[in-house]
């Protein structure tokens, strides 16, 4: 294993055998990644992830019986620390947004290049969210155009002006590094602001912050 990077343990859940095999082959070739199991449907994925506790799980959203959305809900309800990365064929699949709201750490289009796949896994393993901003915007707009959008978050008035500014920048898709540069503070300070904002708003990850920001007209 590479001395520079800690080993990332990954599980793959997809109902297509070729995709499971292909992803496993790509990831196994990386010095800092190890495949710890694969699953062919959501129920199997839940059992696998609860048992082997991988760092990251690649979760197909459209699977028979229990789909990736329901599997994500069950895993989040069980309190797993595994970060779930949703795999989808369609960038505007509203199920993806539901999975993100349920607590998934990001999503990837299945036709994403190899480099994006690897970068996304490393990002979520390190605690960042991963999303394509343009696709997330589409998803959020579709979601907010429904007749009964979720109620605005009550925790916004508890944010400090600096936390609010960080939230707006997170919603624009800026990384901690970009936010730190813009606000002339350290990355550690930005991480602290993000952590406080997550806690105050009861959000699980950055993606839920983005959704809250859109719901409240901040983005």
């Amino acid at each position: 294993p590479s001395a520079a990077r800690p080993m990332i343990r990954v599980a793959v859940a997809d109902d297509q055998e070729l995709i499971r095999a292909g992803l496993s082959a790509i990831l196994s070739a990386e010095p800092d990644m190890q495949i710890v199991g694969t699953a062919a449907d959501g129920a199997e994925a839940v059992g696998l992830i609860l048992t082997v506790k991988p760092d990251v799980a690649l979760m197909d959203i459209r699977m028979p019986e229990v789909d990736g959305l329901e599997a994500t809900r069950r895993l989040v309800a069980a309190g797993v620390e595994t970060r779930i990365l949703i795999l989808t064929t369609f960038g505007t699949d509203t199920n993806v947004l539901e999975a993100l709201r349920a607590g998934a750490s990001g999503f990837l289009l299945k036709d994403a290049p190899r480099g994006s796949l690897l970068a996304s896994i490393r990002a979520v393993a390190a605690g960042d969210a991963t999303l394509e901003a343009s696709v997330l915007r589409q998803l959020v707009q579709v979601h907010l155009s429904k007749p009964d959008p979720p109620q605005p978050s009550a925790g916004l008035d508890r944010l400090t002006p600096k936390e609010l500014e960080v939230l707006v920048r997170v919603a624009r898709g800026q990384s901690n590094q970009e936010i730190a540069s813009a606000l002339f503070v350290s990355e550690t300070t930005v991480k602290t602001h993000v952590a406080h904002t997550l806690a105050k708003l009861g959000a699980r990850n950055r993606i839920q912050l983005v959704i809250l920001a859109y719901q409240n007209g901040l983005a």
Side-chain angles (χ1 to χ4, degrees):
S2 166
R5 291 190 174 126
M7 183 63 75
I8 302 169
R9 301 167 67 254
V10 185
V12 178
D14 195 292
D15 61 336
Q16 296 179 50
E17 188 182 351
L18 279 176
I19 290 180
R20 290 198 304 275
L23 287 170
S24 297
I26 289 170
L27 303 186
S28 297
E30 294 301 303
D32 60 336
M33 294 186 193
Q34 175 190 7
I35 294 291
V36 293
T38 63
D41 63 60
E44 195 181 336
V46 171
L48 171 70
I49 292 163
L50 290 176
T51 304
V52 303
K53 299 178 173 62
D55 300 308
V56 177
L58 299 182
M59 181 82 73
D60 183 25
I61 210 158
R62 295 174 184 270
M63 292 186 285
E65 307 299 333
V66 176
D67 65 13
L69 179 58
E70 177 59 25
T72 299
R73 285 198 188 108
R74 291 182 190 181
L75 288 163
V76 170
V80 297
E81 291 187 8
T82 299
R83 297 182 184 277
I84 299 166
L85 199 48
I86 297 292
L87 292 172
T88 178
T89 316
F90 312 106
T92 53
D93 186 342
T94 50
N95 284 332
V96 175
L97 186 59
E98 293 301 328
L100 298 178
R101 290 185 68 223
S105 292
F107 69 91
L108 264 180
L109 298 177
K110 283 190 178 179
D111 58 1
R114 180 188 185 122
S116 295
L117 168 70
L118 299 174
S120 294
I121 291 171
R122 290 183 181 117
V124 298
D128 289 332
T130 180
L131 51 117
E132 294 179 38
S134 60
V135 181
L136 183 70
R137 274 197 295 274
Q138 283 178 290
L139 285 169
V140 172
Q141 291 309 324
V142 167
H143 189 73
L144 295 185
S145 67
K146 290 179 179 177
D148 186 23
Q151 292 305 302
S153 169
L156 282 173
D157 54 0
R158 295 170 53 209
L159 299 182
T160 66
K162 193 63 77 177
E163 287 164 357
L164 199 58
E165 187 171 1
V166 168
L167 173 60
V168 170
R169 290 181 180 277
V170 166
R172 289 179 190 156
Q174 293 183 3
S175 67
N176 286 350
Q177 193 175 5
E178 289 167 336
I179 296 170
S181 298
L183 300 183
F184 303 105
V185 296
S186 71
E187 233 179 299
T188 306
T189 301
V190 174
K191 284 180 180 174
T192 303
H193 286 319
V194 171
H196 289 166
T197 304
L198 287 167
K200 288 178 181 180
L201 297 181
R204 180 177 160 93
N205 55 40
R206 290 171 83 99
I207 288 178
Q208 292 189 338
L209 289 183
V210 173
I211 293 167
L212 282 167
Y214 273 90
Q215 286 174 347
N216 289 276
L218 296 175

